[in-house]
C-alpha cells in the first residue's frame, strides 16, 4: 500500500509515526497535530503488517476514540474497525465481560452510574442507622472512589490509621464499614461502578498472572495512549502490567503534553509523564513543537507563562503565523463592569473582525463566575450557551434559593412550595405531599392553605405547620428589609447553606460557590445602579429583584440553532479552539485559585490551566480582571493575577500600568495596581520570629493546632495524600478565606501546644 499519507506530516511527525518498536513518548504541544500523529501511527502499524487486533489504543473520551477510528479508516479502510480503540473504561469493561467469572462476577454484570452508586450508599447508610448529615453521600462516594484509584481495599482502609483518623475527625468512623458493605453488595448484585472497571481489571491481572496476563500481553502487541498526562496511578499500573515483563519489547507509545496536565483533582498525576523515562530507560522521545492553531503573539505568551514551572519537559512551541493581534488586557473597576466590557468587546469583534458567535468563548476558573456574563449577553441580545454545567439560574442550588425567595413574596406559588417543602430534608414524604395536594383539589383551596387544613398524621402535620410559619416569617422580613438582607437571612434560616456546607466534595464546594454568587448578585442589585454607578435607588425590595431577574431565569431557545457564544470553565475547554477567547477573572484567589496558593505544585497546576486557556485562541485573546467583586456578600479586593506579569509587555495591547516584574517563584504576592481602600486588610510577608520553629511534616496530624507565619493560628482539619504528597486542610482565623490546603512538604508550620 502506498504511503501517501506520510506526505501530510512534517519531519518530526513522520519520525513519530514511523518509529514503531520500543517505548515511544510523543510530547505534543497545543495545536501541533497530536491526533493526526496518533491515528497515522496506528495506520502505519497496520500497513507495516501488524494485525489490527493486536493494537490497543486508549483515549479519555468516546468522541476521541470515534474520531481516531474514522481517521484510520480513511487510510486503511475497514481494517480500522478491528483495532481495539476506546476509552479506558470501555476497553476494560470489554475485557472484563470475557474474564469476569475469574473474579466472581457474571459476564453480564451491571455497570452502576453515579446515581446508582449514590442510591446504594444511601441505602447502606440508612440500614446501618448512621447520621446522614455526617455521612454525606457524595463525600462517602468520593472517598470510596479515591481508595479504589489508589488500590486500597476495604481491609487495607480499616488498617490505615491515617485514613481512619481523618474519618474520626469528620465524625464518620464507620466509613470503612460502608465501603466494605458497598463492595459486597455490588458483587452480590453483579454490579461494578466506573472505578471498578479499572480496579477490577487490575485485580484480574494481579490474581491471574499466567492465564489472563499472558493472554492479553500476547493479544496487544502495541499499546498507544492518548492524553497520557491525564492518567492516574491505577491506569498506569495496569499499563505497566501489560507491557513491562521479562522479554517484552515494551511497545508502548504515549502521546501527551505535561504542560496541559490539569486534572489532579480527579486523581490524575503529572508524575506519570514526567517520570516515564525512569520506567522505560530505552525511551525514544519526539517533540511536536510547531503550532498550527495560533498566531505568534499567542504562542509566545503561552511559552513565557509555562517557563515559570520548574517540573516540566522542556520544549519551545513555535508558529509560522507571524501576523496577528497582540493580547488585549482589560482592567475593570468591578466584576459588573468586567461583564459589560467583555460584552462590548464581543460586539466590536463581531463588527470589526467579523467573528461569528460560535467562534467566541468566555473562559473562567469556576462555573459560578458565569452569572454576570450571562446577564450582559442577554442584555445585548447575544446568544450563548453554558457548557460544563447548567445555565447559572438553572442550577439546582440557585433554583432552590430562588424558590424560597419567591415564596417570601408570594406564598401561593405552588411550584415553589413543592420544590422546597422537603429541601433541606424535613421529613415531609411524598405521600404526605400527595395528600396535601389531593385535599386542596377536593376543597378547591390553594396548596398553601391546604398545608394547615389537610388532616395528616401528627408528625407531617407538625412539619407542614412549621414550614408555613417559616415562610410567613420570610414574608414579614421581605416587607421590612431590602432584597439582600432578606435573601441572606433565608439562605441561612432555610438550612440551604448548612446543607451545602455539609458536602465537602468538589461538587459540594461548587454548589456553595454558586449560591454565594447568587447572593453576591443580589448585593450588587442593592448597591449599584447600572447607569449611575454606586447609588441607592428607591426600590431595593425582594419583589423588585425577583422582577428584574424574571426574564433571566426564563431560558429561551436562542441557543438551539448552534450559533452561540460559548461560556465554560477552562477545564471544560481543554481540546477545543476558538477564533476569539476571553479569559476572565484573572485575579489572585480566583485564577490562581486560593486553594492552590500555598503549594508550589498547586500554583504549577494553575499555571498549566492558564496555559491551556491561552492556547485555545487562534487569533484574538483577551485577558480581563476586576479590582473588586462580590464574594460572600462583601466587596472583595483581589490583586491582579501573577500570571499577567509573566507575559512580556511587548505581547500586550494594554493601557494598564505594569507593575514590578514578578520573581520566578512568586512566593510573595504581587501588590495590585490599584489603591486598596481604607479598612481592607492586606497580607505582608514578615520575617520569622526568633521563637518560630517549624515542625517536621510527619509530626503534623489532624486535630492539631498550628501556626503559620502568614495566616496565623489554625487547626488542622484533615490530611490527605501520601508520603511527599501529603496536603493538610487547615482552618485559620481569617475572614475571607479561612480554610486553606497546604502541602506539608513545603509548609512551615509550628505546632502550638494548648
Amino acid at each position: 500500500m502506498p504511503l501517501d499519507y506520510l506526505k501530510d506530516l512534517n519531519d518530526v511527525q513522520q519520525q513519530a509515526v514511523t518509529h514503531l518498536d520500543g517505548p515511544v513518548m510523543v510530547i505534543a504541544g497545543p495545536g501541533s497535530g497530536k491526533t493526526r500523529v496518533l491515528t497515522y501511527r496506528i495506520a502505519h502499524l497496520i500497513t507495516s503488517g501488524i494485525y489490527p487486533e493486536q493494537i490497543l489504543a486508549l483515549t479519555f473520551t468516546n468522541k476521541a476514540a470515534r474520531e481516531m477510528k474514522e481517521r484510520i479508516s480513511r487510510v486503511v479502510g475497514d481494517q480500522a474497525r478491528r483495532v481495539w480503540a476506546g476509552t479506558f473504561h470501555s476497553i476494560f469493561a470489554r475485557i472484563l465481560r470475557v474474564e469476569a467469572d475469574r473474579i466472581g462476577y457474571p459476564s453480564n454484570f451491571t455497570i452502576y452510574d453515579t446515581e446508582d452508586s449514590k442510591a446504594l450508599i444511601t441505602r447502606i447508610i440508612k440500614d446501618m442507622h448512621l447520621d446522614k448529615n455526617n455521612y454525606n453521600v457524595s463525600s462517602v462516594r468520593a472517598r470510596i472512589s479515591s481508595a479504589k484509584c489508589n488500590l486500597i481495599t476495604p481491609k487495607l482502609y480499616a488498617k490505615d490509621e491515617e485514613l481512619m483518623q481523618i474519618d474520626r475527625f469528620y465524625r464518620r468512623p464507620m466509613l470503612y464499614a460502608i465501603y466494605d458493605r458497598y463492595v459486597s453488595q455490588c458483587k452480590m448484585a453483579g454490579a461494578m461502578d466506573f472505578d471498578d472497571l479499572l480496579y477490577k481489571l487490575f485485580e484480574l491481572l494481579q490474581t491471574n498472572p499466567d492465564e489472563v496476563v499472558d493472554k492479553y500481553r500476547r493479544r496487544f502487541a502495541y499499546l498507544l495512549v492518548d492524553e497520557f498526562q491525564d492518567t492516574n496511578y491505577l491506569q498506569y499500573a495496569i499499563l505497566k502490567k501489560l507491557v513491562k515483563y521479562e522479554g517484552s519489547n515494551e511497545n508502548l507509545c504515549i502521546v501527551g503534553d505535561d504542560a496541559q496536565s490539569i486534572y489532579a483533582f480527579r486523581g490524575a498525576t503529572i508524575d506519570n509523564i514526567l517520570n516515564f523515562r525512569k520506567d522505560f530507560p530505552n525511551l525514544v522521545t519526539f517533540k511536536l513543537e510547531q503550532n498550527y492553531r495560533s498566531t505568534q503573539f499567542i504562542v509566545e505568551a503561552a511559552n513565557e507563562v509555562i517557563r515559570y514551572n520548574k517540573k516540566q519537559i522542556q520544549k519551545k512551541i513555535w508558529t509560522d503565523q507571524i501576523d496577528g493581534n497582540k493580547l488585549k488586557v482589560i482592567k475593570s473597576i468591578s466584576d459588573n463592569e468586567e461583564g459589560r466590557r467583555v460584552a462590548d468587546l464581543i460586539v466590536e469583534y463581531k463588527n470589526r473582525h467579523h467573528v461569528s458567535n460560535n467562534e467566541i468563548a468566555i473562559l473562567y476558573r469556576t462555573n459560578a463566575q458565569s452569572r454576570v456574563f450571562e446577564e450582559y449577553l442577554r442584555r445585548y441580545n447575544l446568544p450563548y450557551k453554558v457548557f460544563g454545567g447548567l445555565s447559572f439560574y438553572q442550577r439546582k442550588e440557585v433554583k432552590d434559593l430562588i424558590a424560597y425567595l419567591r415564596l417570601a413574596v408570594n406564598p401561593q406559588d405552588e411550584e415553589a412550595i413543592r420544590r422546597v417543602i422537603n429541601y433541606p430534608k424535613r421529613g415531609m414524604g411524598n405521600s404526605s405531599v400527595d395528600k396535601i395536594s389531593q385535599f386542596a383539589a377536593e376543597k378547591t383551596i390553594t396548596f398553601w392553605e391546604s398545608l394547615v387544613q389537610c388532616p395528616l398524621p401528627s408528625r407531617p402535620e407538625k412539619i407542614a405547620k412549621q414550614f408555613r410559619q417559616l415562610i410567613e416569617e420570610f414574608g414579614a422580613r421581605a416587607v421590612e428589609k431590602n432584597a439582600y438582607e432578606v435573601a441572606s437571612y433565608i439562605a441561612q434560616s432555610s438550612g440551604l447553606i448548612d446543607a451545602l456546607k455539609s458536602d465537602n466534595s468538589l461538587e459540594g464546594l461548587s454548589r456553595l460557590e454558586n449560591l454565594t454568587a447568587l447572593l453576591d448578585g443580589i448585593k450588587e442589585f442593592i448597591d449599584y445602579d447600572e447607569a449611575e454607578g454606586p447609588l441607592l435607588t428607591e426600590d431595593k425590595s425582594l419583589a423588585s429583584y425577583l422582577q428584574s431577574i424574571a426574564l433571566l431565569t426564563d431560558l429561551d431557545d436562542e441557543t438551539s440553532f448552534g450559533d452561540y457564544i460559548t461560556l465554560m470553565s477552562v477545564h471544560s475547554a481543554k481540546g477545543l479552539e476558538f477564533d476569539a477567547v476571553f479569559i476572565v477573572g484573572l485575579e489572585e484567589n480566583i485564577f490562581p485559585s486560593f486553594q492552590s496558593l500555598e503549594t508550589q505544585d498547586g500554583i504549577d497546576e494553575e499555571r498549566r490551566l492558564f496555559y491551556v486557556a491561552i492556547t485555545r485562541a487562534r487569533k484574538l485573546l483577551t485577558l480581563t480582571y476586576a479590582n473588586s467583586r462580590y464574594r460572600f456578600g462583601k466587596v472583595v479586593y483581589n490583586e491582579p493575577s501573577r500570571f499577567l506579569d509573566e507575559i512580556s509587555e511587548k505581547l500586550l495591547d494594554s493601557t494598564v500600568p505594569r507593575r514590578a516584574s514578578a520573581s520566578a517563584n512568586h512566593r510573595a504576592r504581587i501588590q495590585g495596581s490599584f489603591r486598596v481602600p481604607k479598612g481592607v486588610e492586606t497580607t505582608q510577608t514578615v520575617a520569622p520570629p526568633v521563637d518560630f520553629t517549624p515542625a517536621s511534616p510527619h509530626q503534623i496530624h489532624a486535630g492539631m493546632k498550628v501556626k503559620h507565619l502568614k495566616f496565623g493560628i489554625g487547626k488542622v482539619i484533615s490530611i490527605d495524600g501520601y508520603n511527599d504528597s501529603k496536603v493538610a486542610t487547615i482552618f485559620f482565623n481569617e475572614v475571607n478565606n479561612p480554610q486553606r490546603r497546604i502541602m506539608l512538604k513545603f509548609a512551615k508550620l509550628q505546632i502550638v501546644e494548648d
Side-chain angles (χ1 to χ4, degrees):
M1 181 178 291
L3 302 181
D4 292 342
Y5 57 88
L6 294 179
K7 296 178 182 178
D8 297 336
L9 307 172
N10 63 34
D11 290 344
V12 179
Q13 290 174 335
Q14 280 195 27
Q15 294 171 30
V17 165
T18 57
H19 185 95
L20 300 182
D21 295 324
V24 172
M25 178 165 66
V26 180
I27 300 300
S32 63
K34 168 183 71 72
T35 304
R36 174 174 291 185
V37 167
L38 187 62
T39 54
Y40 278 27
R41 181 178 172 86
I42 295 172
H44 194 66
L45 282 167
I46 295 172
T47 59
S48 299
I50 304 301
Y51 291 114
E53 297 87 349
Q54 291 185 292
I55 301 171
L56 171 61
L58 296 168
T59 67
F60 277 87
T61 66
N62 290 310
K63 178 183 176 183
R66 286 194 302 271
E67 183 179 352
M68 184 187 301
K69 283 200 170 186
E70 287 171 3
R71 290 196 181 194
I72 299 168
S73 65
R74 293 173 197 160
V75 180
V76 300
D78 288 343
Q79 292 186 87
R81 298 170 57 187
R82 290 152 49 199
V83 174
W84 285 61
T87 65
F88 279 88
H89 291 88
S90 65
I91 293 295
F92 292 174
R94 184 176 170 185
I95 295 173
L96 285 167
R97 292 287 183 199
V98 177
E99 312 290 349
D101 63 307
R102 296 179 184 272
I103 53 173
Y105 278 80
S107 60
N108 62 340
F109 60 83
T110 299
I111 298 175
Y112 279 173
D113 62 16
T114 300
E115 294 309 312
D116 294 325
S117 297
K118 286 184 176 180
L120 176 54
I121 292 170
T122 299
R123 189 163 64 250
I124 292 171
I125 292 171
K126 182 179 179 181
D127 291 345
M128 294 177 66
H129 306 290
L130 299 173
D131 187 338
K132 59 187 177 183
N133 293 319
N134 290 338
Y135 292 89
N136 177 272
V137 174
S138 295
S139 297
V140 171
R141 181 183 171 275
R143 194 73 164 167
I144 292 173
S145 174
S146 177
K148 288 182 178 180
C149 289
N150 285 284
L151 294 175
I152 300 173
T153 65
K155 289 183 179 179
L156 290 175
Y157 192 108
K159 293 178 180 178
D160 191 311
E161 183 53 35
E162 187 171 321
L163 293 175
M164 295 297 290
Q165 186 178 22
I166 293 171
D167 288 344
R168 285 193 292 269
F169 181 84
Y170 280 112
R171 299 180 180 177
R172 54 188 190 198
M174 299 302 291
L175 198 147
Y176 77 95
I178 298 175
Y179 181 18
D180 189 42
R181 285 199 185 192
Y182 177 78
V183 170
S184 298
Q185 292 192 27
C186 279
K187 193 166 187 177
M188 287 178 62
M192 297 186 193
D193 62 22
F194 281 5
D195 294 312
D196 281 331
L197 297 178
L198 306 179
Y199 182 80
K200 294 298 180 183
L201 183 70
F202 184 87
E203 179 185 323
L204 174 71
L205 300 177
Q206 183 76 4
T207 56
N208 297 273
D210 297 328
E211 309 95 325
V212 178
V213 177
D214 288 348
K215 174 182 176 180
Y216 288 99
R217 283 172 176 172
R218 290 193 302 269
R219 169 72 59 82
F220 302 129
Y222 290 84
L223 276 71
L224 302 93
V225 182
D226 191 16
E227 303 287 6
F228 185 75
Q229 76 279 351
D230 295 334
T231 55
N232 61 27
Y233 173 81
L234 181 51
Q235 287 163 330
Y236 189 29
I238 292 171
L239 291 173
K240 287 189 285 189
K241 279 276 186 187
L242 293 173
V243 299
K244 281 195 71 66
Y245 56 93
E246 187 175 349
S248 169
N249 292 325
E250 298 183 341
N251 291 330
L252 172 62
C253 173
I254 65 167
V255 180
D257 182 7
D258 59 293
Q260 298 186 66
S261 178
I262 60 173
Y263 293 118
F265 67 94
R266 292 181 185 170
T269 170
I270 192 175
D271 290 339
N272 286 353
I273 192 168
L274 292 179
N275 298 329
F276 191 69
R277 181 175 292 278
K278 294 181 181 178
D279 292 324
F280 297 90
N282 298 323
L283 180 68
V284 177
T285 301
F286 301 98
K287 297 180 181 180
L288 308 184
E289 297 175 303
Q290 182 175 0
N291 181 295
Y292 294 93
R293 174 188 301 159
S294 308
T295 61
Q296 186 171 344
F297 287 114
I298 295 170
V299 169
E300 288 187 12
N303 281 334
E304 289 188 348
V305 167
I306 203 63
R307 75 181 181 188
Y308 283 91
N309 278 11
K310 294 182 179 179
K311 292 170 61 176
Q312 62 174 296
I313 299 171
Q314 294 298 324
K315 55 187 173 297
K316 177 75 172 178
I317 307 302
W318 62 277
T319 181
D320 56 12
Q321 300 182 57
I322 58 175
D323 295 327
N325 294 275
K326 291 184 177 182
L327 283 62
K328 185 178 288 292
V329 178
I330 295 178
K331 167 189 173 183
S332 301
I333 299 300
S334 67
D335 52 347
N336 190 58
E337 184 190 5
E338 182 185 32
R340 178 182 61 78
R341 294 188 68 181
V342 167
D344 284 338
L345 197 55
I346 286 175
V347 173
E348 179 182 333
Y349 284 169
K350 286 168 64 67
N351 293 331
R352 177 181 294 182
H353 299 289
H354 307 291
V355 182
S356 60
N357 291 323
N358 59 9
E359 289 297 347
I360 300 172
I362 300 174
L363 306 182
Y364 33 74
R365 179 62 182 82
T366 64
N367 286 325
Q369 293 172 255
S370 73
R371 176 187 62 82
V372 69
F373 301 102
E374 289 189 61
E375 291 182 1
Y376 274 98
L377 292 177
R378 285 180 179 277
R379 293 177 189 177
Y380 283 48
N381 228 7
L382 293 169
Y384 71 90
K385 185 171 183 179
V386 179
F387 289 84
L390 295 171
S391 174
F392 180 82
Y393 290 102
Q394 290 301 306
R395 292 164 186 161
K396 179 186 181 302
E397 56 278 6
V398 173
K399 289 176 70 69
D400 289 339
L401 179 53
I402 289 177
Y404 274 109
L405 303 185
R406 283 163 49 186
L407 286 174
V409 174
N410 176 21
Q412 308 291 343
D413 189 335
E414 182 172 339
E415 291 304 313
I417 296 175
R418 286 180 172 275
R419 183 176 187 91
V420 298
I421 191 170
N422 199 39
Y423 185 77
K425 297 289 187 181
R426 295 184 174 86
M428 178 64 73
N430 291 334
S431 61
S432 296
V433 172
D434 291 341
K435 287 180 182 178
I436 294 170
S437 180
Q438 184 178 355
F439 185 84
E442 291 173 354
K443 299 297 182 180
T444 321
I445 59 176
T446 66
F447 193 97
W448 172 254
E449 293 168 331
S450 184
L451 278 175
V452 291
Q453 296 183 28
C454 177
L456 295 170
S458 60
R459 187 166 183 270
E461 180 179 334
K462 181 180 179 182
I463 292 170
K465 289 181 179 179
Q466 289 175 339
F467 176 77
R468 181 169 169 129
Q469 290 169 358
L470 184 69
I471 299 304
E472 287 173 342
E473 180 190 3
F474 293 167
R477 285 181 175 267
V479 174
E480 301 172 355
K481 306 290 184 179
N482 67 42
Y484 178 72
E485 290 174 316
V486 179
S488 297
Y489 179 82
I490 290 175
Q492 289 286 353
S493 300
S494 65
L496 286 177
I497 287 182
D498 287 341
L500 295 177
K501 281 184 176 179
S502 69
D503 180 1
N504 55 18
S505 67
L506 287 171
E507 182 183 4
L509 178 61
S510 176
R511 287 178 175 173
L512 184 59
E513 287 178 344
N514 290 334
L515 202 64
T516 301
L518 176 62
L519 292 173
D520 290 342
I522 300 174
K523 187 66 161 63
E524 191 171 83
F525 170 81
I526 296 299
D527 290 351
Y528 286 86
D529 178 84
E530 181 181 351
E532 303 297 332
L535 176 68
L536 285 174
T537 56
E538 292 182 5
D539 190 359
K540 294 297 182 180
S541 68
L542 183 59
S544 177
Y545 171 75
L546 289 172
Q547 180 177 316
S548 74
I549 67 165
L551 292 177
L552 296 180
T553 59
D554 183 18
L555 283 181
D556 51 30
D557 296 323
E558 62 188 359
T559 62
S560 60
F561 300 102
D563 182 30
Y564 47 73
I565 295 164
T566 295
L567 278 72
M568 59 172 52
S569 70
V570 182
H571 282 102
S572 299
K574 188 169 178 288
L576 303 178
E577 54 186 73
F578 305 88
D579 282 349
V581 169
F582 294 80
I583 308 176
V584 300
L586 280 168
E587 300 143 39
E588 294 289 298
N589 297 315
I590 295 179
F591 202 172
S593 164
F594 76 91
Q595 292 178 305
S596 70
L597 293 178
E598 303 313 315
T599 70
Q600 190 60 51
D601 285 349
I603 289 294
D604 285 354
E605 173 135 344
E606 291 289 301
R607 187 175 287 110
R608 293 194 295 270
L609 191 59
F610 184 50
Y611 177 85
V612 167
I614 290 174
T615 54
R616 299 311 95 197
R618 296 192 194 102
K619 301 174 183 178
L620 301 167
L621 179 58
T622 304
L623 312 175
T624 77
Y625 68 94
N627 282 354
S628 66
R629 66 177 62 244
Y630 276 90
R631 283 179 69 84
F632 305 102
K634 297 181 180 179
V635 177
V636 175
Y637 297 86
N638 290 323
E639 301 165 0
S641 172
R642 66 191 69 195
F643 299 150
L644 290 169
D645 282 290
E646 296 174 356
I647 303 174
S648 298
E649 192 170 3
K650 66 180 181 180
L651 303 178
L652 303 177
D653 172 12
S654 172
T655 58
V656 180
R658 296 285 286 186
R659 301 170 298 180
S661 297
S663 62
N665 59 16
H666 294 282
R667 290 192 184 278
R669 292 189 178 185
I670 307 165
Q671 287 299 318
S673 58
F674 57 90
R675 182 175 175 270
V676 179
K678 185 178 180 180
V680 177
E681 295 184 2
T682 59
T683 303
Q684 303 290 338
T685 303
V686 296
V690 177
D691 61 348
F692 184 83
T693 306
S696 173
H698 74 268
Q699 295 177 293
I700 307 296
H701 300 292
M704 280 185 170
K705 187 179 289 186
V706 295
K707 182 178 182 180
H708 188 278
L709 285 175
K710 184 181 291 185
F711 306 118
I713 303 296
K715 184 174 183 179
V716 180
I717 304 300
S718 64
I719 298 177
D720 299 309
Y722 304 92
N723 301 325
D724 288 344
S725 298
K726 286 185 179 180
V727 177
T729 300
I730 305 175
F731 195 91
F732 292 98
N733 295 324
E734 289 191 302
V735 177
N736 291 332
N737 297 316
Q739 185 167 301
R740 298 189 179 260
R741 285 176 58 78
I742 303 178
M743 182 166 281
L744 292 179
K745 180 179 179 180
F746 301 106
K748 293 182 178 180
L749 299 171
Q750 183 180 39
I751 298 173
V752 178
E753 301 293 341
D754 290 325

